Amino acid sequence: MSAILKENIDTLISQYQDGYSLEQAFYCSDEVYQRDMNRLISQRWLLVDHVSRIPNKGDYFLFDIGEESIIIIRQSDEKINAFFNVCRHRGSRICLEHEGNKGLLSCPYHAWTYELDGQLRPPRLMPDGFDKTQFGLHACHIKVTHGLIFVCLSKDTPPDFDAEFSEFNEMFDFHGFADAKIAVKRDYPNQCNWKLVVENFIECYHCAPAHAEYCVVHPEDQLLALGAGPGSGPKEAMEKYQPILDEWEEKSRAMGHPVYEIDHDEHSLHLAQLARLPINDRNFAAETRDGKPASNKLMGKFKQCDHGETAMVFNPISYILASNDVAMMVRFTPRDAVNTDVQLTWLVHKDAEEGVDYDADNVAWVWDVTIKQDKKITEDNNAGILSSRYQPGPYSTQEARVATFVRWYLNGIR
Ligand code: FES
Ligand SMILES: [Fe+2]
C-alpha cells in the first residue's frame, strides 16, 4: 500500500530532525517515491551487471527500474548498448522476455524493427515524408569499464563517470573484474521502500540480533567498529579496532596489495566509498563456513590470500564486495514506493570451473542467508512504519552511516 501525502514534500524535508529516521511518508508515499526517482535515482550512475552475462552479439537482458525497462544488448565484441524498452511507433514494450538473444529488435505489436545500434529499419506503409532516422530507439547512458556495466537514466548529460569513479580503477584492475564471470545470480524481491533496504544494509546494529551466520564469519569487534563499512560504528569501537586494522593493512601492503580508504560525504553526488578491510583476522580468508576460499582460482592480481575484503560503494543502491576469491555485486532496484528488487551476483575468475574450482552454493552461502534475513527484517520494518503510531526514532552510535545516508538523500531530493 502507499499512503497519501498529507504535507508538502519540501515541508517534510525542512522539518527533518537530524539523527532520526524519516517521517512515514518518505517510506510509502507515491509522491515522495516519484521525487526520489526523478531527482536522485535517475540522475546517478547505477551498477547493473557484468559483461559476462551477455557474451555474444545480440545477447541482452532487461534492467527494470521503477516504470522503466532498459534493454542492455551486445552489438559487437567491443560495444554494448542500452535503450529504453519503448517502441517509437506507439510505445509498446519491445523485449518481453527478461533475457535472451536477438538479431534485431522487433516490436511484437506492429513489427517496427530496430538494428542492434537502435536505428529503425524502414517500417511498412508509412506515409510519404516519414523520416525513419527520427525514430531510433531512445538511448540510455551507459558506461562499461573493467567488465562492469553502469547506466544512468537521466534525460540530460549524466554526471562525469570518470570524475566520480576514477579512484576505483586501480581496485577494479587488482580484483580482475575484466577477467571475471558470473558464478551465481539470485533475486530477492523485498516488499519495502528502497530506502529501508539501503538503511539496513549500511548499519550493523542489527547484525548481532539478526545474522548468526554473518557473525561467525566476521568477529564482533570488527562488526561493531565498521561492520557496515567505514564510518558505520561508534568512534570508541573504531579506536579499539584500529591496531588490528593497521596490522592487517601492513601485512596486505607487504604482499603488494593496495590498501584504500575513500569516503565521500553527504555533499557528494554518489556517496561513494572504497575501503579494504580484513574479513576476520582469526583465520578467515574468505566469507565461507570454514574461512577457506570458495574458489580455487583467486581473482585478479591476488597470488595469495590477504584475508581482506574490498567494499566498493558506487551509490547507496550499487555495491561490490570483493574478496580474494569471489566478488559479489549488490543491486537494490526501486520498483515502486513499497517494492524493491534485491539482486546479488557473485563473480569468480573466468577460468574457474563450477564443480571443480568452486561450488555455487558455497560461493553464495553467507550472503544468501544474510540477505534473506535482511528481507524479513526490512519488510517487518516497513509494515511497522505504516502504523498510525509510527514516529521517527533516534539512531544509535552504530547507525552513523544511516544518518549520513539520510542527509545525502535529503540533499538529493531537496
Ligand atoms: S507499437 Fe511497436 S510497432 Fe507499433
Ligand atoms: Fe543485515
Side-chain angles (χ1 to χ4, degrees):
M1 74 154 259
S2 68
I4 308 294
L5 200 57
K6 294 180 209 84
E7 276 175 282
N8 178 293
I9 299 176
D10 293 303
T11 310
L12 285 173
I13 295 173
S14 67
Q15 287 168 351
Y16 173 67
Q17 192 178 354
D18 196 49
Y20 277 68
S21 62
L22 292 161
E23 289 284 349
Q24 182 189 62
F26 287 102
Y27 297 112
C28 56
S29 123
D30 285 333
E31 250 178 284
V32 172
Y33 167 75
Q34 288 306 336
R35 168 103 63 127
D36 291 359
M37 296 306 284
N38 295 338
R39 295 206 183 173
L40 197 61
I41 303 293
S42 66
Q43 304 303 320
R44 301 294 187 272
W45 284 104
L46 310 176
L47 175 66
V48 290
D49 223 307
H50 188 262
V51 295
S52 62
R53 183 161 179 196
I54 44 173
N56 304 309
K57 182 179 172 183
D59 284 352
Y60 81 93
F61 65 89
L62 300 182
F63 173 54
D64 292 333
I65 175 165
E67 298 301 316
E68 305 297 353
S69 172
I70 309 295
I71 305 168
I72 316 279
I73 189 160
R74 183 177 285 281
Q75 182 186 339
S76 66
D77 283 350
E78 292 76 39
K79 198 152 186 342
I80 292 174
N81 297 321
F83 302 111
F84 285 80
N85 190 7
V86 180
C87 183
R88 294 296 309 278
H89 176 223
R90 279 167 52 198
S92 172
R93 285 265 189 263
I94 299 165
C95 294
L96 307 179
E97 304 289 327
H98 218 74
E99 57 190 357
N101 182 284
K102 304 255 186 211
L104 293 164
L105 291 164
S106 186
C107 178
Y109 198 174
H110 314 93
W112 277 33
T113 298
Y114 306 84
E115 307 285 349
L116 299 187
D117 64 2
Q119 288 186 58
L120 178 65
R121 288 193 160 190
R124 295 166 295 127
L125 303 173
M126 295 309 288
D128 291 347
F130 173 78
D131 178 3
K132 75 178 179 68
T133 66
Q134 300 304 304
F135 293 91
L137 292 177
H138 287 298
C140 175
H141 305 293
I142 182 168
K143 172 78 183 180
V144 181
T145 184
H146 295 266
L148 307 174
I149 306 172
F150 294 83
V151 300
C152 175
L153 305 179
S154 178
K155 269 191 183 152
D156 310 314
T157 310
D160 181 342
F161 185 93
D162 295 326
E164 290 293 311
F165 301 110
S166 60
E167 296 166 309
F168 286 71
N169 277 325
E170 189 185 0
M171 288 315 301
F172 289 161
D173 185 49
F174 208 87
H175 278 282
F177 294 153
D179 293 316
K181 68 167 184 183
I182 296 173
V184 195
K185 182 183 282 297
R186 290 187 186 160
D187 292 297
Y188 310 85
N190 279 215
Q191 281 182 28
C192 64
N193 184 269
W194 69 275
K195 294 187 288 295
L196 291 176
V197 180
V198 170
E199 289 169 12
N200 178 67
F201 196 67
I202 59 175
E203 55 94 346
C204 211
Y205 195 40
H206 72 276
C207 288
H211 297 315
E213 294 79 1
Y214 195 72
C215 290
V216 169
V217 172
H218 297 274
E220 201 182 332
D221 51 352
Q222 185 206 42
L223 292 183
L224 184 60
L226 35 65
S232 65
K235 253 202 215 99
E236 312 73 57
M238 191 57 225
E239 280 164 18
K240 219 170 133 207
Y241 186 70
Q242 193 66 47
I244 298 175
L245 182 60
D246 291 345
E247 198 189 319
W248 172 80
E249 284 187 348
E250 210 169 293
K251 271 192 223 154
S252 185
R253 244 190 237 112
M255 292 179 181
H257 302 167
V259 171
Y260 266 92
E261 192 174 321
I262 292 165
D263 190 1
H264 292 179
D265 69 13
E266 65 256 40
H267 304 293
S268 65
L269 217 44
H270 286 87
L271 200 65
Q273 272 189 329
L274 175 59
R276 294 210 70 226
L277 307 165
I279 290 171
N280 184 332
D281 56 306
R282 283 135 240 174
N283 292 327
F284 273 68
E287 285 190 304
T288 51
R289 283 185 186 82
D290 56 7
K292 296 203 179 81
S295 170
N296 290 334
K297 296 214 161 55
L298 297 186
M299 293 182 75
K301 296 188 172 151
F302 291 104
K303 297 275 179 286
Q304 55 178 325
C305 286
D306 68 1
H307 295 211
E309 178 178 49
T310 308
M312 302 180 182
V313 183
F314 303 108
N315 62 66
I317 64 170
S318 314
Y319 306 76
I320 297 179
L321 301 179
S323 306
N324 301 160
D325 56 336
V326 168
M328 181 181 72
M329 303 168 67
V330 179
R331 226 175 67 172
F332 300 145
T333 312
R335 298 307 309 275
D336 62 29
V338 287
N339 283 286
T340 305
D341 286 344
V342 174
Q343 184 178 79
L344 301 184
T345 304
W346 289 265
L347 305 174
V348 294
H349 192 286
K350 69 173 173 12
D351 298 333
E353 267 181 71
E354 184 169 7
V356 178
D357 296 306
Y358 69 92
D359 169 79
D361 285 330
N362 188 38
V363 165
W365 169 70
V366 83
W367 274 105
D368 181 72
V369 60
T370 302
I371 215 80
K372 283 174 183 156
Q373 293 156 345
D374 282 331
K375 171 180 160 69
K376 172 88 178 95
I377 55 186
T378 48
E379 288 179 347
D380 291 343
N381 189 4
N382 210 142
I385 286 173
L386 297 180
S387 161
S388 61
R389 295 300 189 275
Y390 168 75
Q391 59 191 101
Y395 294 130
S396 70
T397 54
Q398 208 180 351
E399 292 163 293
R401 192 70 190 161
V402 184
T404 306
F405 162 72
V406 169
R407 287 195 290 270
W408 173 84
Y409 161 72
L410 293 174
N411 287 340
I413 64 157
R414 209 182 296 274

